[in-house]
Amino acid sequence: MKFNLVNDDKLQIIISKEDLERREMRKWDLMPNNPEAQRMFQEILEEARDVCGFDVGQNTQLMIEAYPMTGESMLITVTKVNGKSKLPFGLDLESVGQSLLEDLLDEEDYPDVSFEESVYRFANLEDLIQAASLIQPFYDGESQLVRYKDAYYLILWETEWLADGGAAVLSEFSDFVHITGSFFQEHGEMLMPENALAILAKL
């Protein structure tokens, strides 16, 4: 791990893949309000204080931005900001760099996590409508449609109702996304809050 003290209020940290592995962390662990991520940043900031004198007070609010670099490394920029903080660190999805989020969405080396729901990303409405008409017979649960950035995200909330045939169809038309449906509910544009699959299948 390398520290670059830009000034009294700004610190740059280069974290390698090996640094994350030593802490039993992966890039995906930085995305949600993860207690393990909070713990990791606490340890990093304590080390930064000892190494380069970057001191963070008890009530200091921090903006933390993360960007992917070549060679599996990450650049973390920590900036002290004015104002009251709800958490010791301003670590949430809003404060993580958009480039990191896009990098994680395209990540192939996913951690072994499971969600109650399944989220599928479609590049266009044509593929989404065609897939919906084919998988409707295989699914009998709640579904939502959200638009985020330039893509469409189909959230299937009861994956136990998704038969193998439906999963196979989805894999042809879309990409499975390893991010919770609640993220897209909060940050995306809700197009169909309920019965999305049934509605799309009739178009």
Side-chain angles (χ1 to χ4, degrees):
M1 192 178 322
K2 297 181 179 180
F3 298 99
N4 175 33
L5 184 62
V6 179
N7 54 50
D8 290 341
D9 295 325
K10 189 170 185 178
L11 174 69
Q12 292 178 333
I13 309 166
I14 295 179
I15 301 178
S16 68
K17 180 180 180 181
E18 290 73 22
D19 291 326
L20 290 174
E21 289 176 347
R22 279 195 295 270
R23 290 172 168 80
E24 298 182 350
M25 299 281 290
R26 302 177 75 172
K27 287 189 293 184
W28 277 97
D29 295 322
L30 302 179
M31 291 307 295
N33 286 325
N34 184 352
E36 291 300 311
Q38 299 284 338
R39 177 187 58 78
M40 186 189 77
F41 276 100
Q42 175 72 55
E43 294 175 356
I44 290 175
L45 290 174
E46 289 176 357
E47 185 175 346
R49 180 189 58 199
D50 296 336
V51 172
C52 60
F54 186 76
D55 191 19
V56 177
Q58 182 65 32
N59 297 318
T60 302
Q61 182 180 9
L62 301 176
M63 180 177 68
I64 300 176
E65 299 171 289
Y67 300 94
M69 300 174 64
T70 58
E72 295 296 324
S73 296
M74 293 173 54
L75 173 63
I76 308 291
T77 300
V78 182
T79 307
K80 299 177 188 178
V81 296
N82 295 322
K84 297 181 179 179
S85 177
K86 297 179 181 179
L87 296 171
F89 309 104
L91 177 63
D92 54 29
L93 286 169
E94 292 294 342
S95 64
V96 176
Q98 180 62 34
S99 57
L100 176 61
L101 175 58
E102 293 172 354
D103 180 62
L104 294 176
L105 284 171
D106 294 330
E107 181 68 71
E108 295 181 358
D109 185 19
Y110 298 113
D112 184 17
V113 295
S114 60
F115 304 129
E116 293 183 0
E117 74 277 12
S118 294
V119 182
Y120 295 88
R121 176 177 54 185
F122 291 82
N124 55 69
L125 277 175
E126 289 76 13
D127 287 347
L128 175 57
I129 292 171
Q130 187 174 354
S133 64
L134 294 173
I135 65 175
Q136 175 63 21
F138 299 98
Y139 185 74
D140 190 26
E142 287 299 320
S143 57
Q144 294 178 315
L145 177 63
V146 178
R147 182 164 54 199
Y148 179 74
K149 301 297 181 181
D150 296 324
Y152 297 89
Y153 294 83
L154 179 66
I155 307 173
L156 304 180
W157 288 100
E158 300 173 45
T159 53
E160 67 271 15
W161 290 103
L162 188 62
D164 291 341
V169 170
L170 283 168
S171 67
E172 294 181 12
F173 290 91
S174 64
D175 297 315
F176 182 75
V177 176
H178 290 251
I179 295 180
T180 63
S182 58
F183 166 80
F184 295 102
Q185 285 182 320
E186 181 177 354
H187 299 278
E189 177 188 358
M190 181 64 69
L191 300 179
M192 297 180 183
E194 58 185 16
N195 299 322
L197 195 59
I199 295 172
L200 290 164
K202 296 177 181 179
L203 296 180

